[in-house]
Amino acid sequence: MNPEPTDSTPPLGARIDWATVELPSSWPDQLDLARPSDFLRIIKHLFGPRKPVELPANTPGAPELPRYLLQEFHHLPNGNFSSFYAEGYLWAFDATMLGLSRRMRASMAERLKGHAAVLDIGCSGADLAAAVRDAGVKDVVGLDASPYMLQHAARRHPGLPLVQGLAEKTGFPDGRFDAVAACFLFHELPYAAHDEVLKEARRILKPGGELLICEPSPDQMHLGLWELFKKAGPLALWWKMIATLAHEPFVHDWHQREPKEWFASQGFELVEDTTEVPFRTWLARRAN
Ligand SMILES: C[S@@+](CC[C@H](N)C(=O)[O-])C[C@H]1O[C@@H](n2cnc3c(N)ncnc32)[C@H](O)[C@@H]1O
């Protein structure tokens, strides 16, 4: 539920030191899992139906967060809005991707390193933004809607500029960046939001600027096990299981996208489209 804004609720984009700010504790953060009743509550929650996220009073950005975000993605209790489960998610994501997500971010950073200013949208723990910074880009910013994710990002990557915002409304000026990168963001957005994010990316990119998107490949969702095995080898079963069991309410919206037409409709030109299970990567350039 979105609480009413109060005078002390910082809006999206507020300047906040994410490493040290005290965030309001959400209901799962108040549980003590050593207490049998709390442990049972979380187990019942995990195996029960997904519930809407409850934002505690004074959650930064609360009044501006769209409803679609307030869901329990990946079965996380209270979704991306709990400190404990957001941190668990950062670990679990890389673990379930068997380390390939780290390799993917490193290769995205390698492709982005020639740019002067890069924005990582939906940055979560900001490992991509940090990889881009480590590759030599001085002006890198990570943006995420969840203050809990930003807090972990700030503590993992001290000194990295981090902003709370929406990928569809970043608050940055026109032409601010040379490249925008999104790693596993778009498949978590409803169909209409894809266009909004693309419009916003076009606005904040310089003419000729690049948009690099890496998302789950549709293969693990759509191919039969044997076909997937022929493409991905013995890990086919694992990728199928992850694609089927992860709770991602909008993943089918994303897999409907045909990149060439979609990018063209929003003033981009598709430069590359590569699938290597479990990833699909699109590189697009802002047409002038
Ligand atoms: C799967 S995680 C991204 C993983 C991350 N990019 C990485 O490299 O590991 C999706 C993230 O996108 C954020 N998010 C979802 N919708 C968003 C939106 N409209 N604007 C900004 N962030 C959003 C979520 O809070 C979450 O942290």
Side-chain angles (χ1 to χ4, degrees):
M1 239 165 287
N2 268 8
E4 286 301 308
T6 69
D7 286 349
S8 55
T9 308
L12 287 175
R15 277 180 172 268
I16 289 176
D17 178 352
W18 292 106
T20 57
V21 69
E22 196 170 325
L23 294 176
S25 78
S26 61
W27 71 261
D29 295 327
Q30 290 165 16
L31 301 181
D32 173 2
L33 295 182
R35 254 203 332 248
S37 57
D38 285 1
F39 183 73
L40 208 65
R41 178 169 173 201
I42 213 77
I43 294 296
K44 270 167 71 183
H45 189 89
L46 284 171
F47 288 97
R50 298 294 99 228
K51 301 244 170 69
V53 161
E54 290 171 27
L55 294 176
N58 299 335
T59 302
E64 296 145 87
L65 295 173
R67 278 171 70 95
Y68 71 77
L69 260 166
L70 304 181
Q71 302 196 48
E72 294 188 324
F73 290 85
H74 310 123
H75 303 279
L76 297 172
N78 221 40
N80 295 321
F81 296 85
S82 138
S83 181
F84 183 75
Y85 290 99
E87 187 171 28
Y89 168 76
L90 296 178
W91 172 85
F93 177 54
D94 285 342
T96 51
M97 299 311 283
L98 309 174
L100 296 185
S101 43
R102 284 192 211 102
R103 281 226 305 260
M104 169 52 65
R105 292 188 204 102
S107 92
M108 291 176 80
E110 192 54 30
R111 305 178 71 147
L112 293 164
K113 73 180 184 188
H115 292 292
V118 177
L119 177 67
D120 174 9
I121 49 175
C123 68
S124 280
D127 291 353
L128 174 62
V132 174
R133 179 183 66 175
D134 295 346
V137 180
K138 291 211 170 55
D139 182 6
V140 186
V141 182
L143 174 139
D144 201 280
S146 161
Y148 300 92
M149 290 290 183
L150 289 171
Q151 182 146 80
H152 293 301
R155 291 177 179 171
R156 287 152 77 102
H157 304 294
L160 192 68
L162 295 165
V163 177
Q164 188 190 18
L166 297 177
E168 50 271 64
K169 193 175 167 209
T170 63
F172 287 108
D174 294 1
R176 162 73 176 79
F177 294 98
D178 300 280
V180 172
C183 178
F184 275 52
L185 167 71
F186 278 92
H187 76 288
E188 297 194 356
L189 305 176
Y191 199 80
H194 303 162
D195 283 348
E196 297 305 307
V197 175
L198 218 52
K199 281 192 180 80
E200 178 68 352
R202 184 181 155 80
R203 185 186 69 73
I204 60 174
L205 276 170
K206 296 190 171 78
E210 291 188 333
L211 174 63
L212 182 59
I213 299 177
C214 174
E215 297 293 330
S217 112
D219 289 351
Q220 56 260 38
M221 191 117 247
H222 296 152
L223 292 183
L225 202 50
W226 176 240
E227 290 306 312
L228 190 58
F229 176 80
K230 285 195 274 180
K231 270 196 152 180
L235 286 176
L237 184 59
W238 178 252
W239 301 131
K240 187 90 185 143
M241 210 175 76
I242 301 291
T244 315
L245 297 181
H247 176 61
E248 295 182 318
F250 306 115
V251 68
H252 295 289
D253 289 12
W254 176 245
H255 289 321
Q256 284 178 45
R257 286 290 176 196
E258 284 302 328
K260 201 160 183 246
E261 294 75 34
W262 179 48
F263 283 123
S265 73
Q266 299 295 337
F268 283 89
E269 175 200 351
L270 177 68
V271 179
E272 270 180 53
D273 176 4
T274 322
T275 299
E276 207 176 317
V277 176
F279 304 120
R280 186 173 189 185
T281 308
W282 292 343
L283 177 67
R285 193 164 291 132
R286 192 195 126 147
N288 288 334

